Amino acid sequence: MRLRTFCMGCGAMSLVLGCKDKGDTGPAGRFAAMGQLIDNDGAMAIVGGAVSTTAQGPLRETWRLSLHDWTWSKGPTPPFATCRGITARMGDELHIFGGSTTGWDEHAAHWRWQTADGEISTEVDDGPGPRFKHASAVDDDGARFFVLGGRNNDTGEDVYFADLWSWTEAQGWTLLSTTGGPHGLHRHVMVWDPDRRLLWVHAGFQPPREDPGGEPVRSDRLWTLDPATGDWTEQAWTGDGPPIRASHSVSLVDDRLVVWGGSAGDDSTWTYALADGTWTEHPHDLAPLSRDAMVTDVTGDGRTLVFVGGDPVSEDVPNFVMDAWTLDLDTLEWTEHIPIGG
């Protein structure tokens, strides 16, 4: 059974141009790329991303990072530049949906990357509208993925989405009915719970608790969403929880959520026990620089989080980066594999 994690593919818009080009040795530093593990967890696939916040910032490229020797190789060229979208792995195929392209215009393209032969094709289907900063999760059967929320501002005015969609090979896109829940969700993260058959949705931008109809703000709220019934349930907890954040990562391992990163500037890892609703902070002596808009996924055995790149919150690193780390989800210890600038 594959346990999934997904980091929302967009961070705060930095005004600084991307990090130095590393030539043929690997991709330039970037934020808001999309990607997941492929090749039986032997590689991380990276799609697009952005090296700056200028109109030409989004990238038209893909890369593979070998987890055997931590070396990069160039992948197939996608139809156009993209960032701030989602990916969903289904078998040997990586689905890529939505995001922003050149000029930061939103799109609703749905691509299928056949990771075995390297081909990327365009799926012609009637699904969610153009959006960015949405979130995705794949169910434990690996035959269905979900897309939730997002945002569009092509017209100059923000439009927020609270819709939940599913996609299967047999049915294509299906808009699922939901009841209640937060509107305006974007830069949130979510993960599928195979035992309870529901989605856990954490933080990002949501309406304040005291003003459910208000403008979305950076949040610490935690919800479950049952796609079978459409019911939203907000989860309470005892004691302190993680600071408000967005564009972070969430994993589900052994009946606990594992949260790291985001725009909070918090280097700790946080765990949430599903059994009793308690958060626990886990500080680190060695850890990556806090950041958002990185690419993350969990290995098929559910024991290791792999993450690459992103937008460091620290002012000491003014550029986007492309380092690589793993987190042991049993011991919560980090290992660095590619340093910043390496």
Side-chain angles (χ1 to χ4, degrees):
M1 178 174 64
R2 168 168 289 272
L3 300 182
R4 284 286 180 201
T5 183
F6 181 75
C7 165
M8 176 59 217
C10 179
M13 287 293 215
S14 169
L15 298 179
V16 182
L17 296 182
C19 76
K20 65 178 181 179
D21 189 348
K22 293 186 283 184
D24 294 333
T25 60
R30 65 197 60 202
F31 73 104
M34 299 87 78
Q36 290 191 269
L37 293 169
I38 59 172
D39 300 343
N40 294 318
D41 297 336
M44 175 73 87
I46 304 292
V47 180
V51 294
S52 77
T53 59
T54 66
Q56 300 303 315
L59 295 163
R60 187 187 179 191
E61 61 184 37
T62 67
W63 290 83
R64 290 173 180 256
L65 174 62
S66 169
L67 272 59
H68 301 296
D69 58 10
W70 299 96
T71 57
W72 290 99
S73 59
K74 203 75 177 286
T77 302
F80 51 80
T82 189
C83 64
R84 309 195 297 184
I86 63 93
T87 53
R89 176 181 164 184
M90 302 176 72
D92 291 331
E93 195 170 62
L94 197 65
H95 289 252
I96 306 154
F97 171 74
S100 302
T101 188
T102 305
W104 298 101
D105 294 326
E106 281 75 71
H107 67 85
H110 178 191
W111 302 333
R112 301 171 72 160
W113 177 359
Q114 304 290 338
T115 58
D117 59 24
E119 292 187 2
I120 295 180
S121 60
T122 299
E123 185 80 357
V124 179
D125 50 18
D126 186 14
R131 67 191 61 204
F132 67 109
K133 301 181 180 178
H134 41 304
S136 69
V138 181
D139 72 11
D140 53 301
D141 296 328
R144 174 177 60 163
F145 70 87
F146 301 95
V147 170
L148 174 67
R151 175 180 164 192
N152 182 302
N153 60 8
D154 272 349
T155 64
E157 295 185 5
D158 285 324
V159 177
Y160 300 112
F161 300 99
D163 49 351
L164 175 66
W165 293 78
S166 68
W167 189 93
T168 66
E169 188 71 60
Q171 297 181 332
W173 288 107
T174 301
L175 177 61
L176 305 176
S177 176
T178 62
T179 303
H183 76 89
L185 272 174
H186 60 285
R187 293 179 63 185
H188 54 298
V189 292
M190 70 178 182
V191 65
W192 174 252
D193 183 338
D195 294 328
R196 297 165 182 80
R197 309 296 298 171
L198 50 76
L199 295 158
W200 289 87
V201 182
H202 182 245
F205 280 71
Q206 305 183 25
R209 288 184 179 85
E210 63 275 12
D211 184 13
E215 186 72 11
V217 296
R218 194 175 284 109
S219 173
D220 64 353
R221 302 176 77 176
L222 177 65
W223 301 78
T224 55
L225 172 56
D226 186 337
T229 64
D231 291 336
W232 282 92
T233 304
E234 184 163 13
Q235 304 298 310
W237 61 80
T238 57
D240 294 330
I244 59 174
R245 64 190 61 214
S247 301
H248 50 301
S249 74
V250 64
S251 312
L252 176 59
V253 182
D254 293 340
D255 226 29
R256 66 177 182 171
L257 299 177
V258 181
V259 169
W260 185 83
S263 53
D266 172 24
D267 291 329
S268 295
T269 298
W270 290 81
T271 57
Y272 178 81
L274 275 57
D276 60 11
T278 57
W279 284 103
T280 303
E281 182 179 9
H282 305 271
H284 300 284
D285 293 327
L286 172 68
L289 288 174
S290 181
R291 69 194 66 195
D292 58 17
M294 60 280 187
V295 176
T296 67
D297 199 0
V298 169
T299 55
D301 60 7
R303 309 329 303 176
T304 305
L305 170 73
V306 182
F307 104 80
V308 178
D311 185 5
V313 175
S314 172
E315 295 181 358
D316 295 333
V317 183
N319 301 320
F320 307 125
V321 297
M322 213 59 182
D323 54 338
W325 294 71
T326 53
L327 175 65
D328 185 312
L329 293 171
D330 293 316
T331 65
L332 298 182
E333 294 181 352
W334 286 100
T335 302
E336 182 182 46
H337 299 278
I338 302 177
I340 291 176

